[in-house]
Amino acid sequence: MEDQVNEIIERLKAKDFIGLELLIEHFSFNIISAIHQILNRPEDKALVDDVANETFYKIWKNAQYYSAEKSSFHTWISVIAKRTALDYKKKDIKHQHLIPLEEKQAELAAEENTAFEQENFMTLIDELKEEDQIIFLSYYYYNEEPKQIAENLNLTTEIIYNRLSRGKKKLREHLLKGGKTHDDSEYF
């Protein structure tokens, strides 16, 4: 094996493509294993091939700097693989935290619209009787099922559906008349 490693090193230093082929043939498993030590989350799997290719390129490009006196060839290529994987991981994390300005502005606008809609919803349900407000909040805001609301208020599910229907009608009429306050007795 040592003779093969020496041949790979010499061919890489001479920029002989056979050396690169031999490197891939004999050390792919070691390089991929080193990469997987850094890129170990399921979402990192997409980066492994790119990191491996980059690692092979770096080894090819920097083979003349390898010194057997400083480390074994296996250690040297493992360090290159790990550093390359770490660089990719840092870039990926940084990329995930950056939101383009247009997206951030759209996100802020959506948040403002949601807050405005919630405020309008709360103002609008003020037009309903207290028990109907509870029903509306439970159903539309907290996404509770009519059966659960009925149990909480000691009413039947049919009454909950009727109150929701009449409440929607009242609120629709309120909106159509320009948001003017009506006497609850007109509708219930």
Side-chain angles (χ1 to χ4, degrees):
M1 178 70 179
E2 191 173 322
D3 289 338
Q4 286 180 331
V5 171
N6 289 335
E7 180 185 357
I8 292 170
I9 294 167
E10 292 307 314
R11 288 182 180 269
L12 288 173
K13 286 183 177 183
K15 299 297 182 211
D16 182 350
F17 282 108
I18 294 174
L20 183 59
E21 290 174 3
L22 291 171
L23 173 72
I24 293 169
E25 182 181 326
H26 293 287
F27 290 98
S28 289
F29 179 79
N30 300 66
I31 289 172
I32 298 294
S33 295
I35 292 168
H36 277 292
Q37 289 176 355
I38 304 298
L39 301 175
N40 51 15
R41 299 177 305 156
E43 56 268 19
D44 294 336
K45 299 288 185 217
L47 300 173
V48 172
D49 288 340
D50 290 340
V51 174
N53 289 334
E54 178 90 13
T55 301
F56 288 122
Y57 174 73
K58 285 181 177 182
I59 293 168
W60 167 262
K61 185 177 167 188
N62 296 300
Q64 72 271 15
Y65 300 114
Y66 169 70
S67 171
E69 296 167 0
K70 293 182 182 178
S71 68
S72 71
F73 186 69
H74 180 269
T75 301
W76 186 71
I77 63 173
S78 294
V79 168
I80 292 173
K82 287 179 183 179
R83 285 184 180 167
T84 305
L86 192 58
D87 288 345
Y88 268 73
K89 189 166 193 156
K90 287 177 187 175
K91 286 177 194 173
D92 188 51
I93 290 170
K94 187 176 180 182
H95 177 72
Q96 289 175 10
H97 293 304
L98 292 178
I99 299 172
L101 184 58
E102 298 82 22
E103 288 180 30
K104 188 65 174 172
Q105 288 171 338
E107 184 180 306
L108 290 173
E111 286 175 9
E112 286 177 15
N113 281 343
T114 302
F116 179 73
E117 289 169 3
Q118 287 176 345
E119 185 178 318
N120 282 346
F121 176 72
M122 295 302 198
T123 303
L124 196 56
I125 66 167
D126 282 342
E127 296 298 313
L128 301 175
K129 293 179 183 175
E130 187 174 320
E131 191 171 47
D132 291 337
Q133 289 179 16
I134 294 169
I135 293 170
F136 262 70
L137 284 173
S138 298
Y139 187 74
Y140 289 108
Y141 196 75
Y142 296 110
N143 296 320
E144 291 181 17
E145 295 293 322
K147 183 178 179 180
Q148 184 181 2
I149 299 168
E151 288 173 8
N152 293 341
L153 298 176
N154 294 322
L155 299 171
T156 66
T157 306
E158 184 179 317
I159 291 174
I160 299 300
Y161 281 117
N162 288 338
R163 293 269 183 96
L164 286 169
S165 178
R166 282 188 278 164
K168 285 192 286 188
K169 180 180 176 185
K170 179 180 180 179
L171 295 177
R172 189 176 308 115
E173 289 175 5
H174 175 74
L175 288 171
L176 291 174
K177 291 184 180 181
K180 296 178 184 170
T181 306
H182 302 291
D183 182 6
D184 286 342
S185 61
E186 291 180 35
Y187 303 101
F188 297 99

